[in-house]
Amino acid sequence: MYNHWSIQELTGYVPKTTFYTDLGIAEEFGGVNAIKDTYDRVFETWKDDVVFITEFCMALNWKAWEWADRDNQELVELYSNLWCKLDNWLFDNLKNDDLDYYLRTTD
């Protein structure tokens, strides 16, 4: 299990949430269903907070790449699908400064 999100060391982005760790806990203790449940809970709770929902999208993307490195196609597909779903929602729903924040942060 990956519980250390090395995003700060690699990009300079300082995480503001525990979303990455939350996904790792879901992987270890509940698998696919727990990951989906975590996604649903985070989305419903934080979809109106552009900073947090942006970071959640980043965590999903990071997890997909990590599992690709570990050759776990099931989790790669799950995380990739969840990332696409959220990314599409963000592009459809964020406007103006919020969309600019998302684009700058994830660039």
Side-chain angles (χ1 to χ4, degrees), residues 31-42:
V32 169
N33 289 334
I35 294 166
K36 289 177 182 177
D37 182 60
T38 299
Y39 175 92
D40 291 341
R41 285 184 293 107
V42 169

Side-chain angles (χ1 to χ4, degrees), residues 35-96:
I35 294 166
K36 289 177 182 177
D37 182 60
T38 299
Y39 175 92
D40 291 341
R41 285 184 293 107
V42 169
F43 179 78
E44 284 306 315
T45 304
W46 297 109
K47 67 183 175 191
D48 295 325
D49 184 316
V50 67
V51 173
F52 281 18
I53 203 66
T54 295
E55 185 167 306
F56 187 54
C57 199
M58 292 165 59
L60 292 168
N61 185 279
W62 201 273
K63 285 291 190 176
W65 283 105
E66 282 183 355
W67 285 107
D69 287 345
R70 296 179 74 188
D71 202 27
N72 184 322
Q73 195 58 36
E74 179 183 28
L75 290 181
V76 170
E77 288 180 20
L78 174 61
Y79 279 120
S80 294
N81 289 337
L82 293 174
W83 173 81
C84 284
K85 179 179 175 180
L86 183 54
D87 184 66
N88 288 334
W89 184 90
L90 290 165
F91 271 101
D92 288 343
N93 290 279
L94 295 181
K95 307 290 184 237
N96 304 317

Side-chain angles (χ1 to χ4, degrees), residues 13 16 50-51 54 97-106:
Y13 177 82
K16 296 158 185 58
V50 67
V51 173
T54 295
D97 290 343
D98 288 345
L99 182 57
D100 289 342
Y101 175 84
Y102 176 69
L103 293 172
R104 273 192 329 271
T105 303
T106 58

